[in-house]
Amino acid sequence: ALEKLEVLSLDSLTQLGNLRDAKLGQQQNLTYFSMRTARCSGGPLWSFWELPQLKYVNLEGASLAEALYHLPPQLEFLDLSDTQILMAPNTDIPSKLRVLRANFIQLKSLENILAPKMPGSLVELVASDSGLQGMIPSNINQPNLETLILSPNRLSGKIPSDLLLRAPRLRVLDLSKNLLTGPIPEHPPGIRDP
């Protein structure tokens, strides 16, 4: 019965209980999981992240506190905004991830998100007020990126001069309320203004 679930939404439930008891790791057909603003005790089991079909996870505002070291390779959408979840600096970002929303969580670095070893499929990255520090990586490897919102944080240094070349589809860029210096990159040759 429950093993056949493909979609599970627990949004806004106020007394969800302990997720470790929910046996989410047994939901082998689950593709969509959401528990926005839900109140629960305990966090998802690591086996939850091992679900072979899981593509969409929305935990925005859920009362979860744990560290993420691993994300499923097939994951396409992840919203961790306004949770107590920590994303480890060396967490591998799935190559199929298209949307990552991480507002109000502690990311520390953009290196593994914007400059993965393999070109990513990220279309949207929203990391407002996420404790980001340091420089924007100069070796950005996200050719499909359309939206990049990194405001406000404590990013410093120069905006990479080839940012628009490395992210040629970029249409929304918000770097306001950071400590960045230098010129705003121009469109590289061959890319027209929208």
Side-chain angles (χ1 to χ4, degrees), residues 16 34 38 69 108 116 124 132 141 155 178 194:
L16 193 52
S34 180
Y69 298 95
K108 302 285 185 216
E124 176 183 318
L132 290 169
N141 197 6
L155 294 168
N178 277 290

Side-chain angles (χ1 to χ4, degrees), residues 83-155:
T83 64
Q84 300 284 322
I85 293 176
L86 273 171
M87 202 163 175
N90 58 347
T91 302
D92 285 329
I93 302 301
S95 62
K96 294 181 179 182
L97 190 67
R98 297 180 50 76
V99 175
L100 175 59
R101 295 183 184 149
N103 299 313
F104 309 109
I105 73 164
Q106 295 301 308
L107 283 178
K108 302 285 185 216
S109 170
L110 288 170
E111 194 69 34
N112 63 323
I113 298 171
L114 288 178
K117 294 176 186 90
M118 299 298 291
S121 58
L122 203 59
V123 174
E124 176 183 318
L125 172 61
V126 180
S128 296
D129 211 355
S130 296
L132 290 169
Q133 301 177 42
M135 300 173 65
I136 297 172
S138 59
N139 57 338
I140 290 174
N141 197 6
Q142 292 292 355
N144 298 309
L145 192 63
E146 294 177 5
T147 300
L148 180 59
I149 299 175
L150 303 174
S151 167
N153 280 292
R154 298 193 51 78
L155 294 168

Side-chain angles (χ1 to χ4, degrees), residues 3-8 24-33 47-57 72-77 96:
E3 297 83 30
K4 296 181 180 184
L5 280 180
E6 293 180 16
V7 174
L8 178 58
L24 292 172
Q26 295 176 6
Q27 307 304 320
Q28 295 298 307
N29 294 315
L30 198 64
T31 60
Y32 176 103
F33 178 73
S47 60
F48 170 73
W49 293 110
E50 300 298 330
L51 293 174
Q53 307 299 322
L54 191 63
K55 293 181 180 174
Y56 180 101
V57 176
Q74 74 281 359
L75 197 63
E76 295 177 10
F77 179 98
K96 294 181 179 182

